[in-house]
């Protein structure tokens, strides 16, 4: 930089004003590598998903600067902007979607491919963030394999933001001809919209962690923070000079901001995704601010080197490719997180580099396409519709068996939790741990397997799960409150029938991944929402309804075939489900019976170590997909002991109804598919065992004396 003399007492230095900012490309590379490290499962990068937060702030900063500079041309600027965005984003994205659909057609069963159809559709049409937010509230979705396109949610959120923000920039440029007044107006608007976004984030965090993570309204503050910084930077650059003393502070700020990002991305502190996002946005803004004064400072200089800058230029393609690559590798190889990071980084960067040179740059820099903006927009929309609604679904909806099948263990399929918190399960080889089948019953059709996945009906109280509860049926009989998690949801149509048959006042309360025991919480992101909603159950609903009978229906959290860690509120160190649930039974029963006259616990039916519906989609005969049930669980013994001591407590055992050939569990009984996944029953099978369920509820006193 060139020092110049001024009348000021301190010397000044010119502000960096070149168009290309290699240090920003280097920062993109850091963000992309953080996301890969997180998805690879590295314990040291448990917060690596903040790479998306960094991308959002960077995007708001760079694109707002471009928009303000071109907004003077009015509506034409919008057309040019959207055409440029399509040329920049669509080619690589649509190729990745088609390649992913083709790969899943080759390696996945029809059951695995089924949910990916909707995922790809939402990704191609840029509403996948809302699609996955809606799916995340459904615990049934959480037991399927991770979606290979779930990472497209961030692109959807970003493009939804840019559907509105550029128009506002142009409106301010037209209404206020003075650029300074226009920027001040936009800055005020950005502050107001950012505050509204933070309020939306706070509300979403209280009620839905998925909405807080995926929602465009809850994420807009990060893009607006970058936009606000860009407006400030444009104003500062008009002065053309800054004090040299600012350079020292800027260089120090770079180091502190980068260190802050590294700490936030690491496992050093146990932070929620919302808090990590807030801190990541703040540190990214600080780093970009420092780059304005010292772009070649202690951090900016190494980020500007050729390798980081190049990795940043291809970071968009790297981000698109890395997650499908990770899932494909995990299907066939058991690999440690650090090796997975290296493999995924090398493969995704290589694919991104080819895409960048062969596809993206020629389209992006084409003079002919730059002139015909309206044609570009029309063709882009048509291509998105074709890929999302026709081409990719056709590849994924094929009933064919996989051409290539996994040969590794279950761990290779499940992998480490991704942003969607989804885990896969591998179907067992034919006859694994099973006696040779004596019969050969053809498997159900692909259409029947897909239909069996439908978990909900419209005649439910599901939309009120986060409220006080629901009066599902008003009758003249006793007040019966059914309490449970997603396993109860399958029985909602059955409960409707039983309530009408016995003239019950039927109430329901349910929350996904939430044990009925009072102080027991699931390990992970569901803990806080479960705690809040269960407080409503015990502190409000039981006191208000004062039911004659409470009936609980929960999953087998302590089944070793498909267990989940739980803990007692206030004691997070003990997460063994058998110990926690067994110890909590007596106190939980007392808490319920303080307001209810009777407690009936429907013991969880056996879970399996694999998804039999997925197994059926790749098998020839039903008998190939039999599973073996666990022995009586510790939690079942614990509630039985409580029932032996208190006549107001009873249990209902459905094991022999779900698995008539115990200890073997058939995937299809009487022509009806039994399970949606490892442990959830299908609605059709719940209806099939309704008479047996009703008879056992009567024997347990579930409808009163």
């Amino acid at each position: 930089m060139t020092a110049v003399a001024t009348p000021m007492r301190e010397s000044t230095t010119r502000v960096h004003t070149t168009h290309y900012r290699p240090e920003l490309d280097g920062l993109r590379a850091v963000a992309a590598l953080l996301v890969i490290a997180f998805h690879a499962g590295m314990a040291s990068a448990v917060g690596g998903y903040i790479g998306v937060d960094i991308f959002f702030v960077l995007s708001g900063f760079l694109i707002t600067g471009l928009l303000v500079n071109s907004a003077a041309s009015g509506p034409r600027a919008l057309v040019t902007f959207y055409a440029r965005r399509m040329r920049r984003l669509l080619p690589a994205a649509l190729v990745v979607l088609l390649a992913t659909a083709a790969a899943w057609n080759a390696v996945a069963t029809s059951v695995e491919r089924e949910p990916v159809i909707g995922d790809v559709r939402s990704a191609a049409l840029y509403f996948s963030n809302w699609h996955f937010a809606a799916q995340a509230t459904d615990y049934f979705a959480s037991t399927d394999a991770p979606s290979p396109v779930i990472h497209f949610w961030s692109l959807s959120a970003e493009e939804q933001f840019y559907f509105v923000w550029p128009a506002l920039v142009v409106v301010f440029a037209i209404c206020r001809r003075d650029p300074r007044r226009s920027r001040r107006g936009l800055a005020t608007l950005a502050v107001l919209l950012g505050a509204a976004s933070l309020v939306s984030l706070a509300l979403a965090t209280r009620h839905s962690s998925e909405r807080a993570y995926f929602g465009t309204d809850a994420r807009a503050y990060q893009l607006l923070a970058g936009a606000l910084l860009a407006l400030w930077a444009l104003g500062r650059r008009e002065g053309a000079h800054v004090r040299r003393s600012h350079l020292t502070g800027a260089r120090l700020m770079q180091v502190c901001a980068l260190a802050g990002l590294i700490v936030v991305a690491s496992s050093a502190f146990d932070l929620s995704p919302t808090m990590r996002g807030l801190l990541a946005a703040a540190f990214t803004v600080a780093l970009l601010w420092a780059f304005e004064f010292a772009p070649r400072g202690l951090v900016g200089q190494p980020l500007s080197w050729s390798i980081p800058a190049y990795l940043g230029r291809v970071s968009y393609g790297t981000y698109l490719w890395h997650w499908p690559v990770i899932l494909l590798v995990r299907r066939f190889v058991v690999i440690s997180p650090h090796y997975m990071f290296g493999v995924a980084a090398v493969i995704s960067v290589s694919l991104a580099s080819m895409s960048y040179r062969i596809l993206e740059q020629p389209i992006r820099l084409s003079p002919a396409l730059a002139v015909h903006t309206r044609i570009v927009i029309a063709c882009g929309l048509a291509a998105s519709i074709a890929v999302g609604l026709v081409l990719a679904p056709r590849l994924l909806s094929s009933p064919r068996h996989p051409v290539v099948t996994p040969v590794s263990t279950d761990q290779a399929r499940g992998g480490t939790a991704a942003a969607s918190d989804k885990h896969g399960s591998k179907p067992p080889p034919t006859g694994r741990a099973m006696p040779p089948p004596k019969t050969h019953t053809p498997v159900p059709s692909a259409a029947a397997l897909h239909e069996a996945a439908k978990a909900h009906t419209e005649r439910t109280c599901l939309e009120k799960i986060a409220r006080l509860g629901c009066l599902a049926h008003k009758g003249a009989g006793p007040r019966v409150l059914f309490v449970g998690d997603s396993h109860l949801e399958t029985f909602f149509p059955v409960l409707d029938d039983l309530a009408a048959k016995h003239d019950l006042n039927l109430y329901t309360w349910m929350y996904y991944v939430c044990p009925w025991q009072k102080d027991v919480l699931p390990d992970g992101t569901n803990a806080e929402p479960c705690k809040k909603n269960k407080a409503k159950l015990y502190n409000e609903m039981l006191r208000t309804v004062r039911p004659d009978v409470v009936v609980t229906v929960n999953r087998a959290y302590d089944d070793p075939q498909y267990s989940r860690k739980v803990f007692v509120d206030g004691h997070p160190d003990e997460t063994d489900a058998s110990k926690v649930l067994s110890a909590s039974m007596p106190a939980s029963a007392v808490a319920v019976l303080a307001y209810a006259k009777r407690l009936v616990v429907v013991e969880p039916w056996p879970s399996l170590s694999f998804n039999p519906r997925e197994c059926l989609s790749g098998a020839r005969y039903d008998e190939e997909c039999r599973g073996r049930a666990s022995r009586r669980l510790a939690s079942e013994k614990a509630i039985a002991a409580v029932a032996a001591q208190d006549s107001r407590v009873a249990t209902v055992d459905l094991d022999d109804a779900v698995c008539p050939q115990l200890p073997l569990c058939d995937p299809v009984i009487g022509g009806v598919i039994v399970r949606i996944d490892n442990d959830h029953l299908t609605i059709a099978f719940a209806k099939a065992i309704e008479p047996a369920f009703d008879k056992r509820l009567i024997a347990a006193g579930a409808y009163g004396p």
Side-chain angles (χ1 to χ4, degrees):
M1 296 183 183
T2 305
V4 296
T6 69
M8 301 171 60
R9 287 181 295 176
E10 295 182 48
S11 62
T12 61
T13 303
R14 291 191 178 276
V15 178
H16 178 69
T17 59
T18 57
H19 292 290
Y20 177 57
R21 305 283 298 275
E23 74 278 7
L24 300 187
D25 272 337
L27 184 57
R28 281 196 187 98
V30 171
L33 293 175
L34 284 176
V35 174
I36 296 175
F38 168 68
H39 282 156
M42 293 177 60
S44 57
V46 294
Y49 52 82
I50 68 164
V52 174
D53 305 287
I54 297 172
F55 277 129
F56 280 161
V57 176
L58 260 173
S59 176
F61 176 73
L62 291 170
I63 291 181
T64 299
L66 293 174
L67 283 169
V68 170
N69 288 331
S70 62
S73 59
R76 184 185 303 173
L78 286 179
V79 176
T80 302
F81 171 77
Y82 290 125
R84 187 168 58 241
R85 291 291 286 176
M86 286 187 170
R87 288 158 53 201
R88 172 71 179 92
L89 301 179
L90 277 184
L94 296 182
V95 166
V96 170
L97 289 176
L98 285 174
T100 301
W104 254 245
N105 180 270
V107 305
T109 65
S110 61
V111 168
E112 290 179 291
R113 296 195 296 267
E114 172 200 350
V116 181
I117 296 173
D119 300 344
V120 170
R121 180 187 303 117
S122 66
L125 301 180
Y126 286 94
F127 66 92
S128 62
N129 58 324
W130 299 110
H131 170 76
F132 288 117
Q135 272 198 337
T137 61
D138 179 359
Y139 182 58
F140 286 101
S142 68
T143 56
D144 290 332
S147 171
V149 297
I150 193 172
H151 59 310
F152 273 74
W153 76 265
S154 61
L155 306 181
S156 297
E158 186 176 358
E159 293 317 300
Q160 289 161 23
F161 174 82
Y162 287 125
F163 186 74
V164 177
W165 180 246
L168 296 175
V169 174
V170 170
V171 167
F172 270 82
I174 295 174
C175 295
R176 299 186 175 184
R177 295 294 183 180
D178 182 1
R180 294 184 180 180
R181 292 184 61 196
S182 176
R183 287 198 301 269
R184 284 197 295 268
L186 276 174
T188 302
L189 181 62
V191 170
L192 294 175
L193 292 176
S197 175
L198 289 172
V199 171
S200 181
L201 174 65
L203 294 174
T205 302
R206 290 180 57 188
H207 300 291
S208 171
S209 58
E210 293 80 17
R211 169 70 179 275
Y213 189 82
F214 291 113
T216 306
D217 55 337
R219 287 287 189 166
Y221 77 93
Q222 297 175 332
L223 291 149
L224 288 164
L228 190 62
L229 183 66
L231 295 170
W232 167 85
L234 289 171
R236 290 287 300 178
R237 289 170 188 169
E238 289 183 354
H241 298 87
V242 295
R243 296 180 180 180
R244 182 175 293 278
S245 59
H246 288 175
L247 295 179
T248 302
R251 293 187 180 107
L252 180 61
M253 177 65 77
Q254 289 182 20
V255 175
C256 293
L258 183 62
L261 288 173
I262 293 173
V263 170
V264 172
S266 73
S267 57
F269 297 98
D270 185 14
L271 301 172
S272 68
T274 297
M275 182 54 65
R276 288 189 196 272
L278 288 166
L279 292 174
F283 285 128
T284 304
V285 168
L287 188 57
L288 294 177
W289 176 88
F291 283 162
E292 284 299 306
F293 293 103
R296 299 296 181 270
L298 298 176
V299 172
Q301 184 63 40
L303 289 181
S304 301
W305 293 343
S306 58
I307 293 179
Y310 178 76
L311 292 177
R313 289 196 294 275
V314 300
S315 61
Y316 172 62
T318 302
Y319 179 80
L320 293 178
W321 285 107
H322 85 280
W323 182 233
V325 166
I326 287 175
L327 292 186
L328 284 171
V329 171
R330 280 182 180 155
R331 292 185 72 91
F332 302 101
V333 181
V334 178
I335 187 171
S336 70
H338 287 83
Y339 283 115
M340 174 60 81
F341 170 75
V343 169
V346 170
I347 295 177
S348 57
V349 168
S350 299
L351 291 171
S353 297
M354 288 189 292
S355 172
Y356 183 77
R357 292 178 178 274
I358 298 172
L359 178 69
E360 298 172 52
Q361 283 296 86
I363 293 177
R364 182 185 177 190
L365 301 178
S366 169
L369 294 178
V371 173
H372 299 93
T373 54
R374 289 180 173 82
I375 294 177
V376 168
I377 293 174
C379 291
L381 292 174
S384 293
I385 293 172
V387 170
L389 301 183
V390 180
L391 300 178
R394 182 167 295 181
L395 284 169
L396 293 166
S397 60
S398 169
R400 63 181 292 179
H401 291 177
V403 176
V404 184
T405 55
V407 295
S408 61
T409 65
D410 291 357
Q411 181 183 356
R413 287 286 307 282
T416 303
S420 61
D421 194 29
K422 297 183 178 181
H423 301 268
S425 59
K426 182 189 175 196
T430 301
R432 183 179 69 178
M434 300 295 115
K438 297 179 180 180
T439 57
H440 297 81
T441 310
V443 298
S445 66
L449 291 171
H450 295 171
E451 183 68 21
K454 295 181 179 179
H456 311 308
T457 65
E458 295 180 358
R459 300 180 301 131
T460 72
C461 294
L462 186 60
E463 67 276 5
K464 299 182 179 179
I465 59 173
R467 303 179 188 175
L468 187 59
C470 177
L471 176 59
H473 184 274
K474 186 172 179 60
R479 296 183 301 276
V480 181
L481 169 62
F482 275 81
V483 172
D485 55 13
S486 55
H487 285 60
L488 174 62
E489 182 181 1
T490 297
F491 281 90
F492 276 176
V494 172
L495 299 186
D496 287 342
D497 295 342
L498 299 182
K501 176 181 178 181
H502 298 286
D503 200 21
L504 304 176
N505 282 291
L506 176 66
Y507 294 82
T508 61
W509 180 96
M510 64 160 289
Y511 199 80
Y512 297 110
V513 200
C514 194
W516 71 267
Q517 292 84 357
K518 184 177 181 182
D519 294 319
V520 178
L521 302 174
D523 190 36
T525 58
N526 290 88
E528 193 60 29
C530 173
K531 178 179 179 179
K532 291 179 180 179
N533 285 282
K534 196 150 54 173
K536 296 179 181 180
L537 168 66
Y538 280 90
N539 299 334
E540 298 178 42
M541 190 170 188
L542 284 172
R543 291 183 180 184
T544 303
V545 175
R546 292 192 174 269
D548 295 297
V549 183
V550 171
V551 182
T552 69
V553 181
N554 260 146
R555 69 163 286 179
Y557 289 89
D558 59 336
D559 192 328
Q561 299 265 38
Y562 198 56
S563 63
R564 184 177 183 120
K565 293 180 179 180
V566 295
F567 65 95
V568 174
D569 189 23
H571 301 278
D573 295 333
E574 178 57 77
T575 58
D576 184 280
S578 294
K579 295 179 181 178
V580 171
L581 293 173
S582 299
S584 69
M585 288 296 183
S588 298
V590 170
V592 171
L593 293 171
Y595 302 102
K597 298 176 182 177
R598 189 164 186 77
L599 170 64
V600 176
V601 177
V602 178
E603 296 180 356
W605 48 87
S607 299
L608 299 180
S609 61
F610 64 98
N611 184 341
R613 193 170 62 91
E614 180 182 314
C615 176
L616 287 169
S617 69
R620 295 178 62 192
Y621 305 111
D622 291 351
E623 291 76 15
E624 297 177 57
C625 299
R626 281 176 170 170
R628 186 177 294 277
S630 299
R631 297 179 179 179
R632 190 166 175 81
L633 305 178
S635 59
E636 295 175 326
K637 296 177 182 178
I639 192 61
V642 174
Q645 296 292 324
D646 193 331
S647 60
R648 297 173 297 169
V649 180
T651 62
V652 169
D653 190 346
L654 291 176
D655 286 5
D656 62 339
V658 176
C659 301
Q661 305 297 324
L662 277 172
L664 300 183
C665 294
D666 290 304
V668 182
I669 299 176
V672 180
I673 298 171
V674 176
R675 300 170 189 258
I676 295 173
D677 48 38
N678 301 54
D679 55 352
H680 293 90
L681 303 182
T682 64
I683 292 176
F685 188 74
K687 290 286 290 183
I689 64 172
E690 180 180 321
F693 188 42
D694 185 28
K695 183 177 180 180
R696 297 176 197 197
L697 288 174
I698 293 173
Y703 309 137

